[in-house]
Amino acid sequence: MKAERPELCREEGDGIAEVPARARQATAAWAETIDEKDVMRIEEVLRRENMIRAYQRVKRNKGSAGVDGMSVEELMPYLQKHWERIKSEILKGRYQPQPVLLVEIPKPGGRGMRRLGIPTVVDRLIQQAILQVLQPEIDPTFSESSYGFRPGRSAHEAVKRAQEHVRAGNRWVVDMDLEKFFDRVNHDILMSRLARRVKDKRILLLIRRYLQAGMLEDGVVGQRVEGTPQGGPLSPLLSNVLLDELDRELERRGHRFVRYADDCNIYVRSRRAGERVLASIERYLEKRLRLKVNRDKSAVDRPWKRKFLGYSMTADREAKLRVAPESVKRFREKVRNLLRKGRGRRIGHTVALLEPLIRGWLNYFKLAEVKAAFEQLDFWLRRRLRCILWRQWKRGRTRMKKLIHLGIDRQRARKSAFNGRGPWWNAGASHMNHAVPNRYLRSIGLLSLIEEHHRLLRHSRTAVYGTVRTVV
């Protein structure tokens, strides 16, 4: 570990992460207005117990190094040497965060790249400490229809609320997508909304500087005059602070809606009403929050023709939850990627690679009431594994020997091994189904999606009935 870390963004004019002069001057002027009475709030952020909790959270989350290359494991030795200086700078309103490191990851379904801004571990620690103080005070003020990035709330609750709106007769949905939301957040508007809830100017000053910190891209630190990049602990809370104004406007108008981060669905009773709402909210967002609706991805349609948080619904009056076709497609792609890693290895090892993916996927989609997707995926997974075995056997003679060993009579084994068909066709043929039956795949650890889904349903129902009996 290096004894010293280069301190980026410490002085003006060093060419690193400089923000426009006008923004710097406004921030500096704001810093001059800090009163001594504000000290106790920032001291609450810097309190030893709060910082220890923040450190434990950052360490548990792990994550990549930022622009300074410091890993989570190096954080504690660095703090032991430099924390008093950092703490003093924060208290005096002089702390300057380092730039964030731009990392791009592919969006699901090949829909472009998502930009993440990775702060240094020191800045992640400070942001986490701020979050732990602000969230308990701010979160209870948010709308009941907001579910994203909130403690005690989940995507499952959002999906169930959406289902309730549809069952109540609101059988049209305004599926609204905000264009590059995290990249286009207006700093001044966000800080004005945050200042209504946070009175400590030191905390506000520190957050503004985090918003203004530059972004390192291709070796060059660029200026940031808008946006709050995903990747830092504070970004989710700040996005909810800004979008809570949208929630309140929707409530004022009497709309039924569900919002999860920047994914917002409004439920109405007719297409005409939906188109009117979409046009009206689009104007509101552009005028009040300087946000733009992505018209290509937004639509007024039936809920069963759209997806929300990976789920869709059926068209009947009960509006049963089902796995959206796009989610099934994404799961298949993840399985294919894992199976490529398992090529040339024993089939048991390949099945072991699949288990965490299957369990995680099932736990997320356990609310689905339509079983067809699970049955189809079970069939598809078993065929993929039989296809792998057929490829591993490679030559006709080897395939014949393996089929005979697995209980296929010699004449049938010979005919099947030399049939000239491809691996995928043979994986679905009767000789491979007989040679590698479902019970064998279960014996080496392959989970059945439909059986596991039934088990999860039974467990959840038992928990509900047990709670009811306890209450009674």
Side-chain angles (χ1 to χ4, degrees):
M1 186 197 74
K2 296 180 178 62
E4 296 284 348
R5 289 282 171 182
E7 297 296 329
L8 301 182
C9 201
R10 291 298 179 203
E11 297 181 3
E12 294 181 11
D14 62 2
I16 299 176
E18 291 188 25
V19 297
R22 183 178 173 184
R24 282 203 310 275
Q25 291 167 3
T27 303
W30 195 9
E32 295 296 325
T33 67
I34 294 175
D35 297 326
E36 289 300 319
K37 64 182 180 180
D38 293 327
V39 171
M40 290 308 295
R41 287 300 306 278
I42 194 68
E43 286 187 350
E44 188 178 344
V45 172
L46 301 174
R47 191 164 47 90
R48 178 180 174 80
E49 293 78 9
N50 188 52
M51 294 305 302
I52 289 174
R53 279 202 303 129
Y55 171 77
Q56 291 170 344
R57 184 61 180 265
V58 170
K59 186 177 179 181
R60 186 165 61 249
N61 290 345
K62 298 181 181 179
S64 305
V67 294
D68 61 356
M70 185 188 299
S71 67
V72 175
E73 289 73 23
E74 296 174 289
L75 177 58
M76 182 54 76
Y78 180 81
L79 291 174
Q80 289 171 345
K81 187 170 183 179
H82 296 280
W83 176 244
E84 288 304 318
R85 172 184 58 78
I86 295 171
K87 181 179 178 180
S88 175
E89 288 180 358
I90 293 173
L91 287 170
K92 294 176 182 177
R94 297 175 183 171
Y95 181 77
Q96 291 284 355
Q98 297 192 43
V100 297
L101 177 65
L102 175 65
V103 176
E104 292 187 331
I105 61 173
K107 291 183 178 180
R111 296 182 291 110
M113 304 295 289
R114 175 173 285 117
R115 293 162 62 91
L116 301 181
I118 309 300
T120 64
V121 288
V122 173
D123 286 326
R124 290 211 294 273
L125 174 75
I126 297 169
Q127 286 192 37
Q128 181 63 36
I130 296 171
L131 179 69
Q132 290 170 181
V133 169
L134 295 189
Q135 192 162 51
E137 294 188 11
I138 295 178
D139 188 82
T141 68
F142 290 148
S143 167
E144 285 298 310
S145 296
S146 167
Y147 291 87
F149 309 122
R150 297 185 61 187
R153 294 188 157 225
S154 68
H156 285 167
E157 291 176 321
V159 170
K160 293 295 287 184
R161 175 62 70 87
Q163 184 185 33
E164 290 172 8
H165 290 329
V166 176
R167 285 180 171 178
N170 302 280
R171 295 171 68 80
W172 288 88
V173 61
V174 180
D175 187 354
M176 195 166 58
D177 182 86
L178 298 180
E179 188 173 287
K180 297 182 179 179
F181 168 72
F182 287 95
D183 295 334
R184 293 188 172 171
V185 170
N186 183 285
H187 291 174
D188 291 334
I189 293 176
L190 171 59
M191 291 307 302
S192 69
R193 276 36 174 196
L194 190 62
R196 297 172 185 173
R197 305 165 185 266
V198 179
K199 300 305 179 185
D200 187 332
K201 292 179 182 177
R202 279 182 174 80
I203 294 178
L204 294 172
L205 174 66
L206 190 53
I207 292 174
R208 179 175 277 275
R209 283 180 174 160
Y210 274 119
L211 292 173
Q212 292 175 344
M215 178 179 287
L216 182 64
E217 181 177 3
D218 297 328
V220 178
V221 177
Q223 299 176 351
R224 275 225 330 266
V225 294
E226 63 178 1
T228 168
Q230 300 175 74
L234 271 175
S235 291
L237 178 65
L238 296 180
S239 68
N240 276 332
V241 167
L242 184 63
L243 290 176
D244 186 61
E245 186 159 334
L246 169 63
D247 298 341
R248 298 306 178 186
E249 178 65 17
L250 292 172
E251 288 175 349
R252 188 185 67 80
R253 298 183 184 190
H255 292 311
R256 293 172 177 262
F257 71 98
V258 181
R259 185 178 65 80
Y260 193 95
D262 58 335
D263 196 351
C264 183
N265 278 8
I266 307 167
Y267 296 89
V268 295
R269 292 181 177 269
S270 69
R271 176 185 287 277
R272 188 175 177 181
E275 290 171 348
R276 187 170 60 248
V277 167
L278 179 57
S280 175
I281 294 300
E282 183 177 15
R283 289 193 300 270
Y284 173 84
L285 287 169
E286 289 183 0
K287 183 178 179 180
R288 291 295 300 271
L289 301 181
R290 307 279 179 86
L291 296 173
K292 188 175 181 180
V293 172
N294 188 333
R295 274 288 186 166
D296 293 334
K297 296 181 181 179
S298 302
V300 178
D301 209 338
R302 296 292 195 177
W304 46 90
K305 294 182 180 179
R306 307 292 294 182
K307 70 177 179 68
F308 180 57
L309 301 177
Y311 282 86
S312 188
M313 301 181 198
T314 60
D316 56 72
R317 186 167 294 277
E318 286 299 311
K320 294 180 181 178
L321 293 175
R322 64 185 179 94
V323 183
E326 296 91 335
S327 301
V328 174
K329 183 179 178 181
R330 195 179 308 166
F331 176 77
R332 290 192 181 203
E333 188 58 37
K334 288 180 179 179
V335 168
R336 289 189 188 97
N337 291 335
L338 274 179
L339 293 183
R340 289 188 193 106
K341 297 178 183 179
R343 284 179 180 173
R345 301 192 180 189
R346 295 176 64 88
I347 196 69
H349 177 270
T350 304
V351 168
L353 285 176
L354 289 172
E355 183 181 357
L357 173 62
I358 294 173
R359 288 194 185 280
W361 195 82
L362 281 170
N363 273 318
Y364 184 78
F365 288 106
K366 64 185 178 182
L367 297 182
E369 299 161 285
V370 179
K371 313 300 189 300
F374 302 104
E375 293 172 345
Q376 292 166 5
L377 285 173
D378 267 339
F379 176 81
W380 180 80
L381 271 173
R382 292 192 292 263
R383 188 168 179 178
R384 292 290 303 186
L385 292 172
R386 291 181 182 116
C387 184
I388 288 173
L389 284 173
W390 189 261
R391 288 181 183 277
Q392 287 179 348
W393 296 342
K394 292 183 180 178
R395 305 173 69 177
R397 287 182 178 276
T398 305
R399 288 168 177 166
M400 186 176 75
K401 289 179 181 178
K402 290 288 186 180
L403 289 172
I404 293 171
H405 177 73
L406 292 169
I408 305 296
D409 67 79
R410 187 178 185 84
Q411 184 177 354
R412 185 184 178 194
R414 181 181 181 83
K415 183 178 179 181
S416 300
F418 293 96
N419 62 26
R421 301 275 191 167
W424 184 247
W425 185 92
N426 277 283
S430 59
H431 55 269
M432 280 300 285
N433 279 273
H434 291 164
V436 188
N438 296 350
R439 65 178 179 275
Y440 168 75
L441 294 174
R442 282 197 296 269
S443 71
I444 61 174
L446 179 65
L447 295 174
S448 166
L449 278 83
I450 192 67
E451 291 176 5
E452 284 295 304
H453 184 255
H454 285 155
R455 185 186 64 80
L456 287 171
L457 282 179
R458 287 196 301 270
H459 177 75
S460 61
R461 286 168 182 166
T462 302
V464 170
Y465 293 149
T467 303
V468 170
R469 283 195 295 270
T470 303
V471 171
V472 173

